[in-house]
Amino acid sequence: MRIDIEELKNKIKPKLRPIIWRDEDNTLILLDQRKLPFEEVYVELRDPVSTADAIRQMIVRGAPAIGITAAYGMVLAIAHGNTSTLDEALKELARAREVLNAARPTAQNLFWATERMYNRARNAVNNGEARNVKELVEILRREAKAIFDEEFNAELMMGVYGLEKISDGDTILTQCNAGGLATGTGIGTATAPVRVAHALGIRVSVIAPETRPWLQGARLTVYELMADGIPVTLITDTAVGYVMYKGMVNSVMVGADRILRDGHVYNKIGTFKEAVIAHELGIPFYAIAPSSTFDLKSRVEDVRIEERDPDEVRKIRGVPIAPEGVPVFNPVFDVTPPKYVTALITEKGIIYPPFDKNIPKVLGIA
Ligand SMILES: CSC[C@H]1O[C@H](OP(=O)(O)O)[C@H](O)[C@@H]1O
């Protein structure tokens, strides 16, 4: 099928705008995802500390969205006249990078974005491109916007490549929210092939597990797919095995927070369970992520799985569901070994095993 990307862009018009940069006063505006789907509340940020807090509190979440937010957090570090020299600005940016990197430990995009922004600033100062702080702010603002635009185009391409794995009438099982809210651009990663298929008139539907404890599936994936008229069915996390066993699922498509050189996929807790069941039942399992999510240096033992507040498990939306003080283990990601991964879908193409050989080749990274 020949696809005109510009025509596709006009067809896929996401309604939600989770991340907005206001140029007039250098303000970052975030849709507070903790309040969806019942309230659309925006928060305004003007410094890297509050930006890091917004990431930590999951006002914004999802690997690419965290990366874009952190990029703008770096702009905020020098955008409000708190530094007068370029040397001071670089010091402030180094501090902002540390503050932002400490917000959450697992999503690779966070570290990728702050490193890219800091390197851009240092190069601009060293090569004379930035003659003063004002010019450096403008250079960084353009860099953050470039990251946003690159992620948007990457998601379109992941949708186009992923289309190859969708047939008319398919049902796709996903996990958590790897949609437009998780990427900040409104398209998404795991849902990109679904959005492209839908835009091209191919019949496709989604089964979305609720995704305890933060309920990204029930509150976010369902919300954004319904807003765009894409058929979606909500299930409990405990039903994923049954829907696959009943033959209700043609493929599994999930996002990722980090993918290693050997194909280990870090994603929302519960993903590994889906991958093993899919593998056992012969259902294709795809992880869909931009190259900014890949970490070709770390090994499995190096990657920290985030553990969050036990009350996220003891309560649902603040209502207790377990005895007070019950001990809780709350890892919010898990890792899926490459043997359970059918293929990785990226903006540069589909990557098949052996991943340690094919990831660097397809991504063009040594
Ligand atoms: C498109 S990446 C989305 C990825 O991030 C989510 O985690 P969280 O909501 O905790 O940031 C989940 O792992 C998604 O697959």
Side-chain angles (χ1 to χ4, degrees), residues 58 61-64 104 176-178 182 189 216 255-257 267-268 333:
M58 298 174 69
R61 32 63 52 197
R104 291 184 77 187
C176 192
N177 171 252
T189 57
Q216 291 93 329
D257 293 84
N267 196 49
K268 183 52 52 195
F333 297 104

Side-chain angles (χ1 to χ4, degrees), residues 217-358:
R219 293 190 305 109
L220 306 180
T221 296
V222 168
Y223 177 71
E224 61 176 82
L225 292 181
M226 288 179 72
D228 290 327
I230 296 173
V232 57
T233 301
L234 175 64
I235 62 171
T236 60
D237 296 326
T238 42
V240 295
Y242 185 64
V243 294
M244 286 196 266
Y245 170 79
K246 288 290 285 180
M248 295 166 64
V249 172
N250 297 97
S251 67
V252 181
M253 292 186 171
V254 299
D257 293 84
R258 189 182 301 215
I259 300 176
L260 303 187
R261 177 187 287 268
D262 62 1
H264 278 84
V265 173
Y266 290 80
N267 196 49
K268 183 52 52 195
I269 191 80
T271 301
F272 175 50
K273 166 183 70 182
E274 287 189 17
V276 171
I277 297 169
H279 186 266
E280 178 62 27
L281 299 179
I283 298 171
F285 176 91
Y286 303 109
I288 305 180
S291 40
S292 51
T293 300
F294 284 74
D295 170 3
L296 303 193
K297 297 192 182 87
S298 299
R299 297 159 304 167
V300 170
E301 54 270 29
D302 302 325
V303 180
R304 196 175 126 215
I305 296 274
E306 181 183 7
E307 293 179 32
R308 291 182 65 90
D309 181 348
D311 270 352
E312 288 186 0
V313 178
R314 294 193 190 106
K315 299 175 182 174
I316 292 188
R317 319 296 289 160
V319 177
I321 58 164
E324 191 176 346
V326 60
V328 167
F329 176 46
N330 182 22
V332 294
F333 297 104
D334 59 25
V335 54
T336 298
K339 70 176 274 193
Y340 299 109
V341 181
T342 308
L344 301 166
I345 300 175
T346 76
E347 77 275 27
K348 297 185 177 172
I350 299 176
I351 306 175
Y352 297 95
F355 293 120
D356 51 356
K357 171 172 164 282
N358 291 331

